[in-house]
Amino acid sequence: MKRKWKGVIMAAGILLAATAGEAGAASLAGTPEGYDRAQAAEAGYSALYGKSPMALEKEDPEFAGMMKKYIYGDIRTQSVLPLRDQELTTLAVLTATHHPEWVEKEVSGALQGGVSPMDIREAIYQTAPYTGFPDALASLKEADKAFKKAGVKLPLEGKAVTNDADRLDKGVDFQVGTYGERIRRMREEAPANQKALQDDLSAFCFGDIYTRDSLDLRTREMITVAVIGAMGIEPQFKSHVAGALAAGMSQDEVIGTITIMNPYVGFPKTLNALRWAKEVFDRNRGQA
């Protein structure tokens, strides 16, 4: 029997199991016996990029090989998310971590893997309220390069369902319908000099973005968990983990989202995100 995990993978499994509990352990310990890292990595990478070389494959083959085996062998095997969700999560994390130079190739791979151009575009749109416009715009520019090379006709179909007259009302209605009446109380209790920003949050984040006729709420919350987790912001991360669970994600899928984040953000942010997610899992368990 070949090894299951060694080195950093074994260490990660121990830390993840200790931090995330049974749900986290289950999603990472499910690697089949006889797992061949090199074979799994080549299969996973080739499915997206064919024979296109890994970054630095000629100049620094040792590091390129390490990266390929970790991302496309270990991480992509460990995460319970389907390929489409893995790709959308990766694009969200690359946007949140200010790495547009990776986006064109990632989008090309996502298209090769069967992810629709609309899902790709909407995933990047979803990041804008959290990263700000510059990072989302930088990723969209790179995505458009990949679309053009793949023969995707631009611009893609518009998906907005609000206008300037109703975006605030629809945003508030979406927030209340999704997160409860506490939203109205929060808005009512906001100091007068903060009300404009509360309106902006409701109108832009939820009116302009969340109501779009494209991605479902589960996918939007998954992307938001990835973005805020990559940014390392605890309060909003916990809130959106709760939102993701309410939208139909399982604990294993939340852990799978955090797993996909890991190669791009490193272990400190990964382990913090796991700890915060476990707090939400435990709170939900206590309320059941």
Side-chain angles (χ1 to χ4, degrees):
M1 182 180 73
K2 295 182 180 179
R3 64 187 180 185
K4 291 183 179 179
W5 310 110
K6 284 191 176 181
V8 68
I9 303 304
M10 179 63 78
I14 294 169
L15 286 168
L16 291 170
T19 307
E22 294 178 1
S27 70
L28 285 149
T31 305
E33 292 186 4
Y35 168 67
D36 185 318
R37 293 183 74 219
Q39 185 178 43
E42 285 299 329
Y45 184 84
S46 296
L48 297 174
Y49 307 115
K51 297 184 180 299
S52 174
M54 191 82 180
L56 293 182
E57 194 167 289
K58 291 183 178 180
E59 297 82 359
D60 199 329
E62 186 174 15
F63 191 80
M66 186 190 311
M67 187 162 60
K68 181 183 285 187
K69 287 180 182 178
Y70 190 57
I71 295 176
Y72 299 99
D74 300 329
I75 293 297
R76 293 300 184 102
T77 300
Q78 292 166 22
S79 176
V80 301
L81 298 179
L83 176 63
R84 176 248 193 193
D85 289 354
Q86 291 188 7
E87 286 298 304
L88 298 184
T89 295
T90 301
L91 288 168
V93 172
L94 292 176
T95 303
T97 53
H98 325 295
H99 287 297
E101 71 275 12
W102 284 50
V103 168
E104 181 183 351
K105 184 172 182 177
E106 195 68 38
V107 169
S108 295
L111 292 171
Q112 178 66 29
V115 185
S116 74
M118 186 64 73
D119 281 359
I120 291 168
R121 184 194 74 176
E122 292 295 312
I124 298 173
Y125 276 26
Q126 181 68 23
T127 68
Y130 309 103
T131 66
F133 283 115
D135 284 322
L137 182 61
S139 286
L140 284 170
K141 286 182 177 180
E142 296 303 313
D144 285 347
K145 292 179 185 178
F147 289 157
K148 290 174 181 177
K149 288 180 180 178
V152 176
K153 185 178 179 180
L154 298 176
L156 297 178
E157 179 186 358
K159 291 293 182 178
V161 299
T162 62
N163 56 46
D164 288 347
D166 64 14
R167 58 196 287 271
L168 176 58
D169 289 341
K170 287 186 176 180
V172 172
D173 288 346
F174 183 92
Q175 283 180 283
V176 173
T178 305
Y179 306 110
E181 286 294 328
R182 64 186 178 86
I183 299 298
R184 295 196 196 278
R185 292 194 299 271
M186 178 187 71
R187 287 174 52 79
E188 291 169 358
E189 293 169 1
N193 60 359
Q194 296 180 20
K195 288 188 181 296
L197 281 172
Q198 290 290 341
D199 285 350
D200 290 340
L201 172 66
S202 297
F204 173 50
C205 183
F206 295 98
D208 291 344
I209 300 294
Y210 265 84
T211 65
R212 292 177 64 80
D213 185 21
S214 51
L215 301 177
D216 61 20
L217 180 58
R218 176 199 167 279
T219 303
R220 291 191 181 281
E221 289 291 3
M222 175 192 73
I223 291 166
T224 304
V225 165
V227 171
I228 299 177
M231 296 169 73
I233 303 173
E234 179 181 359
Q236 288 81 6
F237 180 81
K238 288 181 178 178
S239 176
H240 283 282
V241 167
L245 295 172
M249 288 193 80
S250 68
Q251 291 186 11
D252 280 355
E253 288 173 328
V254 172
I255 298 299
T257 302
I258 297 170
T259 301
I260 294 297
M261 286 167 40
N262 172 256
Y264 309 101
V265 303
F267 277 98
K269 283 185 176 179
T270 300
L271 296 178
N272 282 341
L274 284 169
R275 186 177 72 253
W276 299 336
K278 182 178 184 296
E279 290 174 15
V280 178
F281 299 161
D282 290 346
R283 185 172 68 232
N284 282 8
R285 191 177 300 115
Q287 294 172 352

mmCIF file of all heavy atoms in Angstrom, residues 3-48:
data_model
loop_
_atom_site.group_PDB
_atom_site.id
_atom_site.type_symbol
_atom_site.label_atom_id
_atom_site.label_comp_id
_atom_site.label_asym_id
_atom_site.label_seq_id
_atom_site.Cartn_x
_atom_site.Cartn_y
_atom_site.Cartn_z
ATOM 1 N N ARG A 3 1.786 5.327 0.384
ATOM 2 C CA ARG A 3 1.502 6.267 1.460
ATOM 3 C C ARG A 3 0.234 7.060 1.187
ATOM 4 O O ARG A 3 -0.104 7.346 0.061
ATOM 5 C CB ARG A 3 2.670 7.243 1.608
ATOM 6 C CG ARG A 3 2.879 8.128 0.387
ATOM 7 C CD ARG A 3 4.138 8.936 0.541
ATOM 8 N NE ARG A 3 4.338 9.786 -0.634
ATOM 9 C CZ ARG A 3 5.403 10.529 -0.824
ATOM 10 N NH1 ARG A 3 6.355 10.546 0.069
ATOM 11 N NH2 ARG A 3 5.519 11.260 -1.913
ATOM 12 N N LYS A 4 -0.465 7.418 2.265
ATOM 13 C CA LYS A 4 -1.614 8.322 2.152
ATOM 14 C C LYS A 4 -1.127 9.751 2.245
ATOM 15 O O LYS A 4 -1.365 10.562 1.366
ATOM 16 C CB LYS A 4 -2.638 8.045 3.240
ATOM 17 C CG LYS A 4 -3.376 6.714 3.091
ATOM 18 C CD LYS A 4 -4.427 6.585 4.181
ATOM 19 C CE LYS A 4 -5.201 5.297 4.061
ATOM 20 N NZ LYS A 4 -6.205 5.160 5.123
ATOM 21 N N TRP A 5 -0.493 10.070 3.349
ATOM 22 C CA TRP A 5 0.004 11.430 3.550
ATOM 23 C C TRP A 5 1.367 11.366 4.229
ATOM 24 O O TRP A 5 1.587 10.546 5.089
ATOM 25 C CB TRP A 5 -0.920 12.240 4.479
ATOM 26 C CG TRP A 5 -2.353 12.205 4.105
ATOM 27 C CD1 TRP A 5 -3.365 11.579 4.769
ATOM 28 C CD2 TRP A 5 -2.945 12.806 2.967
ATOM 29 N NE1 TRP A 5 -4.537 11.754 4.113
ATOM 30 C CE2 TRP A 5 -4.311 12.503 3.010
ATOM 31 C CE3 TRP A 5 -2.458 13.571 1.919
ATOM 32 C CZ2 TRP A 5 -5.194 12.934 2.045
ATOM 33 C CZ3 TRP A 5 -3.341 14.008 0.959
ATOM 34 C CH2 TRP A 5 -4.674 13.691 1.025
ATOM 35 N N LYS A 6 2.241 12.239 3.825
ATOM 36 C CA LYS A 6 3.496 12.409 4.538
ATOM 37 C C LYS A 6 3.845 13.873 4.586
ATOM 38 O O LYS A 6 3.257 14.693 3.892
ATOM 39 C CB LYS A 6 4.621 11.613 3.868
ATOM 40 C CG LYS A 6 4.546 10.109 4.156
ATOM 41 C CD LYS A 6 5.819 9.397 3.706
ATOM 42 C CE LYS A 6 5.783 7.935 4.081
ATOM 43 N NZ LYS A 6 7.018 7.232 3.672
ATOM 44 N N GLY A 7 4.840 14.201 5.422
ATOM 45 C CA GLY A 7 5.326 15.571 5.464
ATOM 46 C C GLY A 7 4.234 16.576 5.772
ATOM 47 O O GLY A 7 3.477 16.420 6.709
ATOM 48 N N VAL A 8 4.158 17.608 4.933
ATOM 49 C CA VAL A 8 3.232 18.699 5.199
ATOM 50 C C VAL A 8 1.788 18.245 5.126
ATOM 51 O O VAL A 8 0.934 18.774 5.817
ATOM 52 C CB VAL A 8 3.479 19.863 4.214
ATOM 53 C CG1 VAL A 8 3.101 19.478 2.800
ATOM 54 C CG2 VAL A 8 2.722 21.113 4.644
ATOM 55 N N ILE A 9 1.474 17.246 4.293
ATOM 56 C CA ILE A 9 0.104 16.789 4.188
ATOM 57 C C ILE A 9 -0.344 16.126 5.479
ATOM 58 O O ILE A 9 -1.449 16.356 5.972
ATOM 59 C CB ILE A 9 -0.062 15.815 3.002
ATOM 60 C CG1 ILE A 9 0.396 16.481 1.715
ATOM 61 C CG2 ILE A 9 -1.497 15.346 2.877
ATOM 62 C CD1 ILE A 9 -0.319 17.784 1.420
ATOM 63 N N MET A 10 0.518 15.297 6.070
ATOM 64 C CA MET A 10 0.168 14.687 7.345
ATOM 65 C C MET A 10 0.015 15.750 8.418
ATOM 66 O O MET A 10 -0.930 15.737 9.201
ATOM 67 C CB MET A 10 1.244 13.669 7.756
ATOM 68 C CG MET A 10 0.948 13.000 9.105
ATOM 69 S SD MET A 10 -0.568 12.025 9.069
ATOM 70 C CE MET A 10 0.022 10.577 8.218
ATOM 71 N N ALA A 11 0.944 16.701 8.446
ATOM 72 C CA ALA A 11 0.846 17.777 9.429
ATOM 73 C C ALA A 11 -0.436 18.569 9.241
ATOM 74 O O ALA A 11 -1.135 18.899 10.199
ATOM 75 C CB ALA A 11 2.051 18.710 9.310
ATOM 76 N N ALA A 12 -0.773 18.855 7.980
ATOM 77 C CA ALA A 12 -2.002 19.595 7.709
ATOM 78 C C ALA A 12 -3.217 18.811 8.161
ATOM 79 O O ALA A 12 -4.146 19.364 8.753
ATOM 80 C CB ALA A 12 -2.113 19.893 6.213
ATOM 81 N N GLY A 13 -3.234 17.501 7.902
ATOM 82 C CA GLY A 13 -4.371 16.687 8.298
ATOM 83 C C GLY A 13 -4.578 16.692 9.794
ATOM 84 O O GLY A 13 -5.696 16.784 10.291
ATOM 85 N N ILE A 14 -3.475 16.590 10.560
ATOM 86 C CA ILE A 14 -3.575 16.618 12.014
ATOM 87 C C ILE A 14 -4.104 17.955 12.489
ATOM 88 O O ILE A 14 -5.008 18.044 13.331
ATOM 89 C CB ILE A 14 -2.196 16.325 12.649
ATOM 90 C CG1 ILE A 14 -1.770 14.884 12.339
ATOM 91 C CG2 ILE A 14 -2.230 16.566 14.153
ATOM 92 C CD1 ILE A 14 -0.336 14.584 12.699
ATOM 93 N N LEU A 15 -3.553 19.044 11.937
ATOM 94 C CA LEU A 15 -4.006 20.376 12.338
ATOM 95 C C LEU A 15 -5.452 20.619 11.943
ATOM 96 O O LEU A 15 -6.236 21.162 12.727
ATOM 97 C CB LEU A 15 -3.105 21.438 11.686
ATOM 98 C CG LEU A 15 -1.714 21.570 12.284
ATOM 99 C CD1 LEU A 15 -0.843 22.432 11.380
ATOM 100 C CD2 LEU A 15 -1.762 22.170 13.685
ATOM 101 N N LEU A 16 -5.830 20.191 10.751
ATOM 102 C CA LEU A 16 -7.195 20.412 10.299
ATOM 103 C C LEU A 16 -8.175 19.600 11.130
ATOM 104 O O LEU A 16 -9.242 20.082 11.501
ATOM 105 C CB LEU A 16 -7.319 20.031 8.822
ATOM 106 C CG LEU A 16 -6.581 20.942 7.851
ATOM 107 C CD1 LEU A 16 -6.588 20.319 6.459
ATOM 108 C CD2 LEU A 16 -7.201 22.311 7.813
ATOM 109 N N ALA A 17 -7.816 18.359 11.434
ATOM 110 C CA ALA A 17 -8.708 17.541 12.242
ATOM 111 C C ALA A 17 -8.879 18.132 13.631
ATOM 112 O O ALA A 17 -9.979 18.185 14.178
ATOM 113 C CB ALA A 17 -8.162 16.114 12.349
ATOM 114 N N ALA A 18 -7.771 18.600 14.209
ATOM 115 C CA ALA A 18 -7.839 19.178 15.546
ATOM 116 C C ALA A 18 -8.609 20.484 15.552
ATOM 117 O O ALA A 18 -9.324 20.800 16.508
ATOM 118 C CB ALA A 18 -6.422 19.415 16.076
ATOM 119 N N THR A 19 -8.478 21.259 14.490
ATOM 120 C CA THR A 19 -9.103 22.572 14.446
ATOM 121 C C THR A 19 -10.546 22.510 14.009
ATOM 122 O O THR A 19 -11.408 23.171 14.559
ATOM 123 C CB THR A 19 -8.336 23.489 13.473
ATOM 124 O OG1 THR A 19 -6.960 23.473 13.831
ATOM 125 C CG2 THR A 19 -8.844 24.914 13.543
ATOM 126 N N ALA A 20 -10.830 21.697 12.994
ATOM 127 C CA ALA A 20 -12.155 21.719 12.389
ATOM 128 C C ALA A 20 -13.081 20.635 12.907
ATOM 129 O O ALA A 20 -14.263 20.655 12.624
ATOM 130 C CB ALA A 20 -12.016 21.572 10.878
ATOM 131 N N GLY A 21 -12.572 19.680 13.680
ATOM 132 C CA GLY A 21 -13.441 18.645 14.211
ATOM 133 C C GLY A 21 -13.728 17.579 13.171
ATOM 134 O O GLY A 21 -13.038 17.425 12.174
ATOM 135 N N GLU A 22 -14.792 16.802 13.418
ATOM 136 C CA GLU A 22 -15.079 15.649 12.589
ATOM 137 C C GLU A 22 -15.354 16.012 11.141
ATOM 138 O O GLU A 22 -14.945 15.323 10.218
ATOM 139 C CB GLU A 22 -16.258 14.880 13.170
ATOM 140 C CG GLU A 22 -15.948 14.254 14.535
ATOM 141 C CD GLU A 22 -17.148 13.535 15.097
ATOM 142 O OE1 GLU A 22 -18.192 13.519 14.405
ATOM 143 O OE2 GLU A 22 -17.050 12.986 16.202
ATOM 144 N N ALA A 23 -16.080 17.108 10.907
ATOM 145 C CA ALA A 23 -16.408 17.480 9.531
ATOM 146 C C ALA A 23 -15.154 17.772 8.733
ATOM 147 O O ALA A 23 -15.000 17.331 7.592
ATOM 148 C CB ALA A 23 -17.330 18.696 9.511
ATOM 149 N N GLY A 24 -14.228 18.523 9.332
ATOM 150 C CA GLY A 24 -12.992 18.860 8.644
ATOM 151 C C GLY A 24 -12.134 17.645 8.410
ATOM 152 O O GLY A 24 -11.548 17.468 7.345
ATOM 153 N N ALA A 25 -12.059 16.759 9.419
ATOM 154 C CA ALA A 25 -11.250 15.564 9.273
ATOM 155 C C ALA A 25 -11.783 14.675 8.160
ATOM 156 O O ALA A 25 -11.039 14.114 7.377
ATOM 157 C CB ALA A 25 -11.217 14.796 10.602
ATOM 158 N N ALA A 26 -13.117 14.559 8.083
ATOM 159 C CA ALA A 26 -13.712 13.694 7.077
ATOM 160 C C ALA A 26 -13.367 14.150 5.674
ATOM 161 O O ALA A 26 -13.097 13.342 4.787
ATOM 162 C CB ALA A 26 -15.228 13.653 7.259
ATOM 163 N N SER A 27 -13.366 15.459 5.451
ATOM 164 C CA SER A 27 -13.143 15.956 4.100
ATOM 165 C C SER A 27 -11.694 15.843 3.668
ATOM 166 O O SER A 27 -11.395 15.875 2.487
ATOM 167 C CB SER A 27 -13.596 17.414 3.984
ATOM 168 O OG SER A 27 -12.737 18.264 4.704
ATOM 169 N N LEU A 28 -10.782 15.690 4.626
ATOM 170 C CA LEU A 28 -9.367 15.641 4.281
ATOM 171 C C LEU A 28 -8.760 14.251 4.425
ATOM 172 O O LEU A 28 -7.701 13.988 3.898
ATOM 173 C CB LEU A 28 -8.602 16.624 5.165
ATOM 174 C CG LEU A 28 -8.838 18.056 4.713
ATOM 175 C CD1 LEU A 28 -8.781 18.999 5.881
ATOM 176 C CD2 LEU A 28 -7.840 18.445 3.663
ATOM 177 N N ALA A 29 -9.433 13.360 5.122
ATOM 178 C CA ALA A 29 -8.876 12.031 5.338
ATOM 179 C C ALA A 29 -9.411 11.013 4.341
ATOM 180 O O ALA A 29 -9.146 9.842 4.444
ATOM 181 C CB ALA A 29 -9.188 11.561 6.765
ATOM 182 N N GLY A 30 -10.185 11.473 3.353
ATOM 183 C CA GLY A 30 -10.830 10.557 2.434
ATOM 184 C C GLY A 30 -10.007 10.196 1.221
ATOM 185 O O GLY A 30 -10.556 9.743 0.219
ATOM 186 N N THR A 31 -8.712 10.401 1.266
ATOM 187 C CA THR A 31 -7.871 10.057 0.122
ATOM 188 C C THR A 31 -7.793 8.537 -0.013
ATOM 189 O O THR A 31 -7.555 7.840 0.963
ATOM 190 C CB THR A 31 -6.468 10.629 0.315
ATOM 191 O OG1 THR A 31 -6.587 12.031 0.544
ATOM 192 C CG2 THR A 31 -5.614 10.393 -0.910
ATOM 193 N N PRO A 32 -7.997 8.001 -1.210
ATOM 194 C CA PRO A 32 -8.027 6.550 -1.378
ATOM 195 C C PRO A 32 -6.669 5.905 -1.148
ATOM 196 O O PRO A 32 -5.631 6.522 -1.349
ATOM 197 C CB PRO A 32 -8.469 6.373 -2.836
ATOM 198 C CG PRO A 32 -8.063 7.652 -3.512
ATOM 199 C CD PRO A 32 -8.222 8.720 -2.471
ATOM 200 N N GLU A 33 -6.696 4.659 -0.735
ATOM 201 C CA GLU A 33 -5.460 3.905 -0.614
ATOM 202 C C GLU A 33 -4.831 3.772 -2.000
ATOM 203 O O GLU A 33 -5.514 3.663 -3.013
ATOM 204 C CB GLU A 33 -5.739 2.519 -0.019
ATOM 205 C CG GLU A 33 -6.184 2.571 1.437
ATOM 206 C CD GLU A 33 -6.301 1.174 2.037
ATOM 207 O OE1 GLU A 33 -5.967 0.210 1.337
ATOM 208 O OE2 GLU A 33 -6.721 1.076 3.197
ATOM 209 N N GLY A 34 -3.514 3.759 -2.025
ATOM 210 C CA GLY A 34 -2.826 3.688 -3.294
ATOM 211 C C GLY A 34 -2.715 5.017 -3.991
ATOM 212 O O GLY A 34 -2.345 5.080 -5.158
ATOM 213 N N TYR A 35 -3.030 6.076 -3.276
ATOM 214 C CA TYR A 35 -2.970 7.431 -3.843
ATOM 215 C C TYR A 35 -1.558 7.741 -4.318
ATOM 216 O O TYR A 35 -0.602 7.622 -3.570
ATOM 217 C CB TYR A 35 -3.406 8.409 -2.761
ATOM 218 C CG TYR A 35 -3.156 9.874 -3.028
ATOM 219 C CD1 TYR A 35 -3.834 10.545 -4.040
ATOM 220 C CD2 TYR A 35 -2.264 10.596 -2.238
ATOM 221 C CE1 TYR A 35 -3.627 11.890 -4.263
ATOM 222 C CE2 TYR A 35 -2.056 11.949 -2.448
ATOM 223 C CZ TYR A 35 -2.735 12.587 -3.477
ATOM 224 O OH TYR A 35 -2.529 13.935 -3.685
ATOM 225 N N ASP A 36 -1.443 8.133 -5.561
ATOM 226 C CA ASP A 36 -0.166 8.487 -6.159
ATOM 227 C C ASP A 36 -0.198 9.989 -6.427
ATOM 228 O O ASP A 36 -0.899 10.444 -7.340
ATOM 229 C CB ASP A 36 0.032 7.698 -7.450
ATOM 230 C CG ASP A 36 1.403 7.919 -8.081
ATOM 231 O OD1 ASP A 36 1.864 9.080 -8.100
ATOM 232 O OD2 ASP A 36 1.996 6.931 -8.564
ATOM 233 N N ARG A 37 0.571 10.752 -5.656
ATOM 234 C CA ARG A 37 0.517 12.211 -5.763
ATOM 235 C C ARG A 37 0.867 12.690 -7.155
ATOM 236 O O ARG A 37 0.197 13.559 -7.723
ATOM 237 C CB ARG A 37 1.480 12.861 -4.764
ATOM 238 C CG ARG A 37 1.112 12.680 -3.305
ATOM 239 C CD ARG A 37 2.092 13.439 -2.411
ATOM 240 N NE ARG A 37 1.853 14.879 -2.474
ATOM 241 C CZ ARG A 37 2.826 15.793 -2.485
ATOM 242 N NH1 ARG A 37 4.093 15.423 -2.506
ATOM 243 N NH2 ARG A 37 2.525 17.076 -2.506
ATOM 244 N N ALA A 38 1.925 12.145 -7.713
ATOM 245 C CA ALA A 38 2.370 12.595 -9.031
ATOM 246 C C ALA A 38 1.324 12.293 -10.092
ATOM 247 O O ALA A 38 1.017 13.136 -10.949
ATOM 248 C CB ALA A 38 3.700 11.929 -9.386
ATOM 249 N N GLN A 39 0.754 11.102 -10.037
ATOM 250 C CA GLN A 39 -0.261 10.721 -11.016
ATOM 251 C C GLN A 39 -1.505 11.578 -10.860
ATOM 252 O O GLN A 39 -2.080 12.055 -11.858
ATOM 253 C CB GLN A 39 -0.615 9.243 -10.855
ATOM 254 C CG GLN A 39 -1.581 8.720 -11.903
ATOM 255 C CD GLN A 39 -1.866 7.237 -11.720
ATOM 256 O OE1 GLN A 39 -2.065 6.765 -10.599
ATOM 257 N NE2 GLN A 39 -1.883 6.504 -12.811
ATOM 258 N N ALA A 40 -1.948 11.776 -9.623
ATOM 259 C CA ALA A 40 -3.132 12.596 -9.385
ATOM 260 C C ALA A 40 -2.897 14.033 -9.837
ATOM 261 O O ALA A 40 -3.773 14.665 -10.432
ATOM 262 C CB ALA A 40 -3.505 12.566 -7.901
ATOM 263 N N ALA A 41 -1.704 14.556 -9.573
ATOM 264 C CA ALA A 41 -1.392 15.930 -9.956
ATOM 265 C C ALA A 41 -1.373 16.089 -11.471
ATOM 266 O O ALA A 41 -1.916 17.067 -12.011
ATOM 267 C CB ALA A 41 -0.046 16.338 -9.366
ATOM 268 N N GLU A 42 -0.765 15.147 -12.168
ATOM 269 C CA GLU A 42 -0.716 15.228 -13.625
ATOM 270 C C GLU A 42 -2.109 15.147 -14.228
ATOM 271 O O GLU A 42 -2.455 15.885 -15.161
ATOM 272 C CB GLU A 42 0.169 14.123 -14.197
ATOM 273 C CG GLU A 42 1.651 14.354 -14.012
ATOM 274 C CD GLU A 42 2.140 15.629 -14.701
ATOM 275 O OE1 GLU A 42 1.560 16.017 -15.741
ATOM 276 O OE2 GLU A 42 3.095 16.236 -14.199
ATOM 277 N N ALA A 43 -2.934 14.258 -13.679
ATOM 278 C CA ALA A 43 -4.293 14.110 -14.195
ATOM 279 C C ALA A 43 -5.108 15.376 -13.943
ATOM 280 O O ALA A 43 -5.817 15.862 -14.836
ATOM 281 C CB ALA A 43 -4.972 12.905 -13.546
ATOM 282 N N GLY A 44 -5.006 15.915 -12.722
ATOM 283 C CA GLY A 44 -5.760 17.112 -12.386
ATOM 284 C C GLY A 44 -5.315 18.323 -13.172
ATOM 285 O O GLY A 44 -6.143 19.108 -13.659
ATOM 286 N N TYR A 45 -4.014 18.473 -13.322
ATOM 287 C CA TYR A 45 -3.479 19.618 -14.063
ATOM 288 C C TYR A 45 -3.800 19.505 -15.555
ATOM 289 O O TYR A 45 -4.247 20.465 -16.181
ATOM 290 C CB TYR A 45 -1.972 19.705 -13.845
ATOM 291 C CG TYR A 45 -1.329 20.919 -14.496
ATOM 292 C CD1 TYR A 45 -1.311 22.140 -13.853
ATOM 293 C CD2 TYR A 45 -0.741 20.821 -15.759
ATOM 294 C CE1 TYR A 45 -0.719 23.258 -14.448
ATOM 295 C CE2 TYR A 45 -0.158 21.922 -16.360
ATOM 296 C CZ TYR A 45 -0.145 23.139 -15.703
ATOM 297 O OH TYR A 45 0.424 24.241 -16.298
ATOM 298 N N SER A 46 -3.597 18.323 -16.109
ATOM 299 C CA SER A 46 -3.813 18.129 -17.546
ATOM 300 C C SER A 46 -5.269 18.319 -17.937
ATOM 301 O O SER A 46 -5.567 18.780 -19.046
ATOM 302 C CB SER A 46 -3.350 16.732 -17.968
ATOM 303 O OG SER A 46 -1.950 16.597 -17.765
ATOM 304 N N ALA A 47 -6.200 17.971 -17.045
ATOM 305 C CA ALA A 47 -7.622 18.143 -17.342
ATOM 306 C C ALA A 47 -7.967 19.607 -17.568
ATOM 307 O O ALA A 47 -8.900 19.931 -18.307
ATOM 308 C CB ALA A 47 -8.469 17.576 -16.199
ATOM 309 N N LEU A 48 -7.195 20.503 -16.950
ATOM 310 C CA LEU A 48 -7.452 21.937 -17.078
ATOM 311 C C LEU A 48 -6.552 22.601 -18.112
ATOM 312 O O LEU A 48 -6.996 23.488 -18.850
ATOM 313 C CB LEU A 48 -7.253 22.623 -15.727
ATOM 314 C CG LEU A 48 -8.186 22.201 -14.589
ATOM 315 C CD1 LEU A 48 -7.771 22.870 -13.295
ATOM 316 C CD2 LEU A 48 -9.633 22.525 -14.916
#
